[in-house]
Amino acid sequence: MQTTALEKQLHFLREIDRLKTVVRQSPLLDKSRKENSAEHSWHLAMYALLLNQYASGTVDTNRVIQMLLLHDIVEIDVGDFPIHGGLSSELQAEQEWKAADRLFGLLPSPQGKELLALWQEFERAETEDAKFAKALDRFQPLLINVFTGGGTWTENGVSLEQVFSRYGPVIKRGAPLLWSVCERWVVQHFARQASEKSPGTS
Amino acid sequence: MQTTALEKQLHFLREIDRLKTVVRQSPLLDKSRKENSAEHSWHLAMYALLLNQYASGTVDTNRVIQMLLLHDIVEIDVGDFPIHGGLSSELQAEQEWKAADRLFGLLPSPQGKELLALWQEFERAETEDAKFAKALDRFQPLLINVFTGGGTWTENGVSLEQVFSRYGPVIKRGAPLLWSVCERWVVQHFARQASEKSPGTS
């Protein structure tokens, strides 16, 4: 019985190795290549460990870490949906919920059910833990874009207003102090961009 | 005051982005490339989350996860020391402890001191949490080698006896049931290797 549970767990752990091959839009900070979703998940867990004091509500840091470790594994089946992409969010959600059922269904019960519930809690973004986790998941790529001189914003022709509307509400809701830092960064970034485009007018 | 703490934390989070560029000896399971230390750390945290029931002692899974998330960040300064490499373990430890001082020293106190202590606990491998974390850190590459038909063992001409002596004690100490699975895998792997080398005698 225990061996069967272990076999299922090891199958799941081999299956999620594929998250290392899911490439995201964001680059590494040294711009040598794009980030993958496994190392992104590691980095987000470190963000949660270090920045929990900036959560808007009272959070259980360890639950947030667990949530962030598994928040992207559905991408093994459906790929990464870029924030600046055009796909309908209903279709995306439908595919991701199906993928979560398949993946967590590989695990023995009740473990699989518990982790599925944690993933669903993240997706619903209603609890304090999930709101903070969601805020970090927006904060990290914003930080990358700022510290790589534009990143996916430059690639996709994203404006200051679009950055504010696509990142702002989620970060502000879960980590207001982090958003106040972001606002400053974003304004400075786009001011610099504008002055580089029109050096004579600066 | 709080802003200063946040600046230090964000500096640290940018600094550890470099763990994504530290390449390990082990391949991904699909053999498309070598694994890096950031995604390895993510995977190990998932191992701890899923396999905590097999720890030899009573462990705090969340502490083990935190330990594994940060266990390799010293490699940012000193690189990965392969298990089948020849470097003296004293020299390696000396370099790693120095790197840990520098990296965790970037963080505000007491956060930096607490995480340094957690990293040191992992390195000392004396507590139940650290013994289990160390066992997983040996178990994951062994699993990769078995499921990629040899991996770093084939590359380095490692024998069954060397696998038993280099992985066995650490895995057995922290997760005896996992070691019993490993023993079976390793024996089967080397038997298959032998029969492929001498097909006439099998």
Side-chain angles (χ1 to χ4, degrees), chain B residues 148-159:
Chain B
T148 56
T152 63
W153 299 337
T154 308
E155 278 175 21
N156 294 281
V158 174
S159 68

Side-chain angles (χ1 to χ4, degrees), chain A residues 9 13 20 33 43 54, chain B residues 9 13 20 33 43 54:
Chain A
Q9 290 158 328
L13 286 169
K20 300 168 189 170
R33 61 170 170 82
H43 212 167
Y54 308 108
Chain B
Q9 289 158 328
L13 286 169
K20 300 169 189 170
R33 61 171 171 80
H43 213 168
Y54 309 108

Side-chain angles (χ1 to χ4, degrees), chain B:
Chain B
M1 182 66 187
Q2 199 176 41
T3 310
T4 307
L6 178 57
E7 280 168 358
K8 289 180 182 177
Q9 289 158 328
L10 295 178
H11 178 197
F12 177 87
L13 286 169
R14 292 198 302 277
E15 183 77 3
I16 65 171
D17 201 68
R18 293 163 57 203
L19 197 60
K20 300 169 189 170
T21 66
V22 175
V23 178
R24 292 168 50 79
Q25 295 296 304
S26 297
L28 301 194
L29 284 179
D30 70 2
K31 303 190 207 178
S32 58
R33 61 171 171 80
K34 300 279 188 185
E35 189 183 37
N36 71 60
S37 292
E39 60 198 5
H40 161 74
S41 300
W42 164 76
H43 213 168
L44 277 188
M46 290 297 298
Y47 272 65
L49 179 58
L50 289 164
L51 303 180
N52 54 75
Q53 71 197 90
Y54 309 108
S56 57
T58 304
V59 295
D60 178 338
T61 303
N62 287 314
R63 286 191 83 242
V64 176
I65 288 173
Q66 291 189 13
M67 238 178 232
L68 289 168
L69 286 173
L70 52 79
H71 80 292
D72 266 348
I73 70 161
V74 293
E75 295 179 358
I76 288 168
D77 283 4
V78 303
D80 176 45
F81 290 101
I83 186 175
H84 309 299
L87 198 79
S88 99
S89 57
E90 289 76 22
L91 180 63
Q92 173 183 344
E94 192 187 316
Q95 291 184 6
E96 288 183 343
W97 282 65
K98 206 171 143 188
D101 280 338
R102 183 188 80 78
L103 284 158
F104 293 113
L106 298 175
L107 287 169
S109 193
Q111 188 172 52
K113 284 194 173 63
E114 285 164 7
L115 295 184
L116 176 63
L118 196 62
W119 180 87
Q120 291 173 339
E121 181 181 330
F122 172 81
E123 283 301 306
R124 289 195 185 100
E126 289 163 358
T127 64
E128 294 301 329
D129 290 349
K131 282 189 274 184
F132 183 52
K134 282 274 181 190
L136 294 178
D137 192 30
R138 280 284 198 290
F139 178 64
Q140 188 249 15
L142 184 149
L143 182 150
I144 292 174
N145 281 342
V146 167
F147 283 89
T148 56
T152 63
W153 299 337
T154 308
E155 278 175 21
N156 294 281
V158 174
S159 68
L160 181 143
E161 290 71 25
Q162 286 170 323
V163 170
F164 271 52
S165 69
R166 291 177 191 175
Y167 297 79
V170 176
I171 299 177
K172 199 172 181 175
R173 189 171 174 234
L177 188 78
L178 296 183
W179 177 245
S180 70
V181 175
C182 292
E183 279 187 307
R184 204 167 58 233
W185 284 343
V186 171
V187 169
Q188 284 170 354
H189 168 77
F190 281 94
R192 201 162 42 234
Q193 293 285 99
S195 78
E196 281 166 12
K197 272 186 188 162
S198 321
T201 60
S202 67

Side-chain angles (χ1 to χ4, degrees), chain A residues 132-185:
Chain A
F132 183 53
K134 282 274 179 189
L136 295 178
D137 192 30
R138 279 285 198 292
F139 178 64
Q140 188 249 14
L142 184 148
L143 182 149
I144 291 174
N145 281 342
V146 167
F147 284 88
T148 56
T152 63
W153 300 336
T154 309
E155 278 175 22
N156 295 281
V158 175
S159 68
L160 179 142
E161 291 71 25
Q162 286 170 324
V163 170
F164 271 52
S165 69
R166 291 178 192 175
Y167 297 78
V170 176
I171 300 177
K172 199 171 181 177
R173 188 171 175 233
L177 188 79
L178 296 184
W179 177 247
S180 70
V181 175
C182 292
E183 278 187 308
R184 204 167 58 234
W185 283 344

